[in-house]
Every structure is written in C-alpha cells, then in structure tokens.
Amino acid sequence: MAYNKLIRALMIEIPSVPGSLGKVATAIGLCGGDIGAVETIKVGTAYTQRNITVQIENEEQLDKIIKSINDLEGFRVRAVSDEVLRAHEGGKVQMKSKMPIQSLADLSRVYTPGVADVCKVIEAEPEKAKIYTNIGNSVAIVTDGTAILGLGDIGPVAGMPVMEGKSALFDQLVGINGIPILLDTKDPDEIIETVKHIALGFSGILLEDIGSPHCFEVEERLKAELNIPVMHDDQHGTAVVTLAAIISACKSTGVDLKDATVGQIGLGAAGLAICRMLMAYGTKSVLGADRSQEAKDRLENYGGMPVDSLEDLMSRCDIVIATTGVQGLIKKEWVRKGQIILALSNPKPEIEANEALEAGAAFAADGRSVNNVLGFPGIFRGVLNAQSDKVTHAMLVAAAEAIAACTKPGDLVPQPLDRSVHEQVAEAVEKVARNAK
C-alpha cells in the first residue's frame, strides 16, 4: 500500500554501558519514529558509535527525535544523512551489454554486417525474436504518474524513482528486464494507443501507479487488445499479497476463509481487486463499502455485495480489510470479538493493530508487511516462462497460495527479498499458465 514516510540515518554516540541502545530506541519510539537498520560503526571504551535508520513523517518529527536523544545524559547525535537520496543519485538502473565488444570481429557479430542475418531470420519467423533478442525477457513498466505511492498525482517524471525501483527488483529477484515507460498523458485512449504501439518490444506490460477510475479502463482494454500479458500492479499485485496475508491470518486463527464473510473498506483500485481475488479464491460472501456509488456498482457487477454503512459492515464480517488511506476510520467499538482485521493504509492505518486486539480482534495487522514486491516479480517470471498471453485470476490465486505456503507460522507474509519465495511464485504461476494452454 501507499508508503510515503521520510527515511533518515542518525549517527549517534552512545555510552558503552548495558541498556544504552534501549534508551535510544525508547526515545525514538516515544517521538513516533520507526527504527529500521542499526549498524555499529565503532566500539570504544566509553562510547559506541552507531548508525540508526529511522522512518519519520516529517522534518519536525526528526527534530523532536534528535532533541530527545541529545537530552539523554552522555548521548549525542553526531550527524544526520539522507541515505535514500544518495542511493538514487544517477538512477538505480542502467542498460548494459551482455557481450564484450573489444575487437572488429566482436563488432561484426553483434552489429554490422553479421546482425543482418539475424534480422532476416526474424523477418521470416517473427516468433524467433524471443530467441535472438531480449523481447522474450522484457516487461514495460508503464505509468502516467497519477497515483504515485501515497503522494497522488505528482506526474510521471516524479514517479520515475518508483519505476526504476520496480525495474531493479525485476532484475535482482527474477532476472527480468524491466523498462520504465513514462507517459505525459492521462487520457485513457492516448495511454492505450501508446502502449499498443510500443508493445512489440516487450513480452509483458506492468501498469504502475495509474489512478482510479481510469486504471480499470486502461487495463481491461489493453488486456483485450494485446496478445501479451498485462497487469496493473496497484490492483492485482496488492490483491495477491493481501490474499496471501489473509490466508496466513486465517491459519493462525482457525478461520475457514471460503466460508467466512469478508468486508472490504475502500473500493478503489486495490480494494476492488482484493474483492475480486477473494471471490476467485472461493470466498462465498464479500461485502464492500465506499463513498463512491460508481465503485459500489463495480463491486456489485463483479459479484460482491455493497453496503452503505461501515458500522453495518463491521458488524457482519468475520474478516475486515481496509485500504482507504484514512487514519482512524475504524472505531474501536465497532470491532467484533474474534475478527481478523487488516488495516493496510500507510503510514497510518484505519485502526492501530494494538487497539483492534484490545477491542477483541483475534488477529490484527497494518500495511507495513503487505508489500507488492512479493507478487509482481514471480508472477511475470511465471507468465514469461510459460509464454502466456495473459495473466488470469487463476494464476494470481496460485501466486497468493504460493506466498502463503512460504510464510512461517506466526508471520503474515514471508520476507520480501527471499528469492526462494519468488521462485515458488513463478513455478506456481507457470504451472497454471501451461495447464491453461
């Protein structure tokens, strides 16, 4: 889900006595900071120097954290750095040749005159482009910049760091060439026509950070008009990982997901896709609430049941998922004893997990664990391996089940950089894709 916190690295001088690191952690936590990596830089007789990465909502919160640490006797924040900006300098991806070109013989093989022979082979048998070019292993990552993380419509150029991130993950996790494509139009017709014109160079299209409601039209029309797989990650990538999380939560609490009544609060791109995934999985009763009548009509068309009142939805559902971006939307008194509640908005959920548990929920979690990166790399690796021309709900359900199967007891989902998880997802998707041919 959307996640727009700031990340800063604090270099802190800490007294070398037991409990000192705990005091720093407490100071950061009381100010609302979220601690990430902790790295020991130098260990001395009197002081230990550590780099502590902290996620914050704004610079004012950072100032409070620094003051709180400096107010501790013997503690000192020596430096603050923005490691994220430094990591993005010059971009995160690059195009590189797989072959060394160090002689005229090399040149003649990779370019002229030898390349002409390859062109003639492809002209005669176009399907061989997947053998003799990188088309068979390339996916276009397409955005119009209208729904970048939790930042909204900030434009395609400002969204490029996200597209580069997707590209880097494709490469590192499953060996796919992900090529960012930035479009300077929000018009669905223009987006569709542009993607259709460039599609020859790719074996898949990943739509990314395209806003609702035009994302639905763009995806559906491209799926109908192209003969390569198309997937909108904000819809289906989120839905896959959410379904995996729900399966894990049900295992922990002994709930039968297929017989449960599930409520979805927020029927935007992610919310509607989650509902469709649940129904594809076999959940018999899926309810949904949203302020938009158009969104509720869409849910009804897909086979779900729209409701008008959040309180009504909470009273009727065994499992509740929220993707609204509205902090504190779910009231503590609405929580039913034994409910499973996944409030997935970041950085602030619709209800804090500890509040939901205090109110009687059997299981509660926020969106920090539900990361799309667990889904899209393996899904596309699987469809490319199978040379499938589409991504189906059966493939997406298989991906979710594979993620859930890799989840350790007590966890919601696996660690997102565990390559074995992505391999399992790819194998599950490929199996379904091949069986469907």
Side-chain angles (χ1 to χ4, degrees):
M1 304 309 296
Y3 198 70
N4 56 3
K5 285 192 175 185
L6 305 177
I7 301 176
R8 298 291 182 266
L10 308 183
M11 182 182 290
I12 308 172
E13 197 173 79
I14 302 171
S16 296
V17 296
S20 293
L21 183 58
K23 290 181 180 179
V24 172
T26 300
I28 293 171
L30 289 174
C31 294
D34 189 4
I35 295 175
V38 177
E39 181 184 7
T40 302
I41 303 300
K42 181 180 178 182
V43 177
T45 305
Y47 292 97
T48 298
Q49 194 174 83
R50 288 188 170 95
N51 273 346
I52 299 180
T53 300
V54 181
Q55 295 179 350
I56 53 172
E57 294 182 28
N58 50 53
E59 294 291 346
E60 290 75 19
Q61 186 181 36
L62 176 63
D63 291 339
K64 289 179 182 179
I65 290 172
I66 293 171
K67 183 179 186 303
S68 180
I69 294 172
N70 287 338
D71 284 345
L72 297 172
E73 186 175 351
F75 293 71
R76 184 66 53 198
V77 177
R78 291 298 184 188
V80 179
S81 63
D82 188 336
E83 294 185 344
V84 173
L85 283 177
R86 287 211 309 272
H88 285 251
E89 288 176 3
K92 302 188 292 294
V93 294
Q94 63 179 335
M95 178 73 77
K96 292 186 71 174
S97 171
K98 292 169 62 178
M99 297 180 61
I101 306 173
Q102 298 174 342
S103 68
L104 292 176
D106 293 337
L107 179 61
S108 69
R109 280 193 295 271
V110 303
Y111 193 46
T112 184
V115 74
D117 291 337
V118 186
C119 295
K120 290 177 182 178
V121 169
I122 295 172
E123 180 188 19
E125 300 178 76
E127 67 277 8
K128 288 193 173 178
K130 291 188 176 182
I131 298 175
Y132 297 120
T133 76
N134 70 7
I135 289 175
N137 196 45
S138 294
V139 171
I141 307 169
V142 179
T143 190
D144 66 355
T146 52
I148 304 295
L149 299 179
L151 305 173
D153 185 358
I154 62 174
V157 175
M160 182 60 165
V162 180
M163 307 311 121
E164 286 191 344
K166 295 278 187 183
S167 179
L169 290 164
F170 263 139
D171 174 55
Q172 295 287 315
L173 297 175
V174 294
I176 287 175
N177 305 313
I179 313 298
I181 305 291
L182 309 182
L183 302 181
D184 64 349
T185 177
K186 305 174 189 177
D187 181 271
D189 291 330
E190 292 185 348
I191 293 171
I192 291 160
E193 284 304 306
T194 302
V195 174
K196 285 169 62 179
H197 284 305
I198 68 169
L200 284 174
F202 302 96
S203 284
I205 305 292
L206 179 66
L207 302 174
E208 177 69 22
D209 291 344
I210 297 177
S212 177
H214 70 290
C215 64
F216 301 112
E217 178 184 357
V218 169
E219 184 190 42
E220 289 305 317
R221 285 176 57 187
L222 284 173
K223 286 168 68 175
E225 297 178 37
L226 291 177
N227 62 354
I228 58 175
V230 177
M231 187 181 89
H232 183 208
D233 195 39
D234 301 286
Q235 291 184 64
H236 309 298
T238 298
V240 163
V241 184
T242 301
L243 176 57
I246 297 168
I247 292 171
S248 297
C250 286
K251 285 180 181 177
S252 297
T253 55
V255 172
D256 185 337
L257 177 54
K258 292 185 178 180
D259 288 333
T261 298
V262 183
Q264 170 65 43
I265 302 175
L267 298 173
L272 276 169
I274 291 168
C275 291
R276 294 179 70 185
M277 280 291 293
L278 286 162
M279 289 184 277
Y281 179 74
T283 303
K284 296 182 179 67
S285 181
V286 178
L287 282 57
D290 196 281
R291 290 179 298 180
S292 165
Q293 187 58 47
E294 182 182 0
K296 290 191 284 188
D297 290 343
R298 272 202 191 89
L299 174 64
E300 192 167 23
N301 289 337
Y302 290 138
M305 183 185 303
V307 297
D308 294 322
S309 163
L310 292 185
E311 193 169 358
D312 180 34
L313 181 146
M314 291 291 297
S315 69
R316 296 167 62 183
C317 293
D318 307 301
I319 302 166
V320 177
I321 307 125
T323 57
T324 65
V326 180
Q327 178 183 357
L329 180 65
I330 298 174
K331 295 181 180 179
K332 198 171 178 180
E333 56 266 29
W334 293 348
V335 176
R336 276 178 39 205
K337 187 175 182 180
Q339 273 183 325
I340 294 171
I341 297 179
L342 302 182
L344 301 181
S345 292
N346 273 314
K348 294 293 184 180
E350 289 80 1
I351 184 170
E352 296 289 348
N354 62 332
E355 290 184 6
L357 292 169
E358 288 171 3
F363 188 98
D366 59 28
R368 284 177 291 183
S369 297
V370 181
N371 194 320
N372 288 17
V373 72
L374 278 164
F376 73 87
I379 292 168
F380 270 90
R381 182 71 277 160
V383 295
L384 293 188
N385 287 353
Q387 296 188 26
S388 176
D389 61 357
K390 61 175 70 73
V391 177
T392 67
H393 271 101
M395 297 175 197
L396 297 175
V397 168
E401 291 176 328
I403 294 169
C406 294
T407 304
K408 296 177 181 177
D411 289 345
L412 197 60
V413 291
Q415 206 269 12
L417 297 182
D418 183 346
R419 283 168 174 75
S420 67
V421 176
H422 300 281
E423 291 170 3
Q424 293 297 315
V425 171
E427 288 178 10
V429 170
E430 181 179 357
K431 182 178 180 180
V432 173
R434 290 192 185 280
N435 288 341
K437 287 186 174 182

